[in-house]
Amino acid sequence: MKYRKSILIFVIVCLAATCIAIFGCGKNNSTNSDSEYATSVDIANMNLQYKDNDKDASYDANKATKINLADEQTSIDGAGAKYSDKTITISNSGTFIASGTLNDGQIYIDVDSKYNVQLVLDGASIINTTGPAIYAKSADKVVLTLAENSQNKLIDT
């Protein structure tokens, strides 16, 4: 009886090991969907010099363009930005204050390379499943400021 029990345990262990070897080493078919945004960066041509005002995180909320993130009901109060197809495009220099939630969307910054953009996140949640939540294609400088006492979330998956 002891001999039969030992053989049964041996067979179970062998079957378990075989299952682990067959199913545990399966091929991973994941793909990288971020290749669209993956580019090389030419650091030699980047302006890495900071002026005193570049280090100043203050802003005048009364003069800023306000971006109310609300998925399809996203609205913009002010100049220099527009909303279309879950993308907020900032095309002029200035200060922009974003608040609210944008699911599967993006803030896309594309201004002349001699101008600066200050983007203030004030209770903003931006989730993008196909690329970066904030993408700065062109600008002299983009200053990202977190509003005091705010919680913000940027997610790219």
Side-chain angles (χ1 to χ4, degrees):
M1 190 70 171
K2 261 185 164 182
Y3 180 71
R4 277 186 137 181
K5 201 181 237 184
S6 295
I7 290 177
L8 182 60
I9 291 173
F10 176 76
V11 170
I12 292 172
V13 169
C14 286
L15 284 173
T18 303
C19 287
I20 290 171
I22 291 172
F23 299 112
C25 298
K27 183 179 177 184
N28 184 355
N29 290 326
S30 67
T31 60
N32 183 2
S33 64
D34 296 327
S35 61
E36 177 183 344
Y37 294 99
T39 61
S40 62
V41 177
D42 184 9
I43 294 176
N45 290 326
M46 292 179 80
N47 178 359
L48 300 176
Q49 301 297 315
Y50 293 97
K51 301 174 187 162
D52 287 339
N53 64 338
D54 292 334
K55 300 173 190 175
D56 181 9
S58 66
Y59 57 94
D60 185 349
N62 295 322
K63 293 181 181 178
T65 296
K66 307 222 182 15
I67 302 169
N68 181 30
L69 305 171
D71 293 326
E72 296 302 322
Q73 287 75 41
T74 293
S75 61
I76 298 172
D77 181 18
K82 66 179 181 175
Y83 174 76
S84 178
D85 297 325
K86 295 189 176 187
T87 300
I88 294 94
T89 302
I90 296 175
S91 56
N92 290 347
S93 65
T95 300
F96 301 83
I97 302 173
S99 60
T101 300
L102 181 63
N103 290 300
D104 203 22
Q106 180 179 70
I107 294 180
Y108 182 81
I109 301 168
D110 188 11
V111 301
D112 191 291
S113 62
K114 61 184 174 184
Y115 295 116
N116 297 343
V117 169
Q118 181 178 23
L119 178 60
V120 180
L121 300 180
D122 188 6
S125 174
I126 305 169
I127 301 166
N128 190 346
T129 59
T130 59
I134 299 173
Y135 180 60
K137 178 182 178 189
S138 177
D140 181 37
K141 290 187 182 104
V142 175
V143 177
L144 184 62
T145 304
L146 304 178
E148 194 170 329
N149 298 318
S150 69
Q151 292 188 4
N152 304 281
K153 179 171 48 172
L154 301 175
I155 298 175
D156 64 343
T157 56

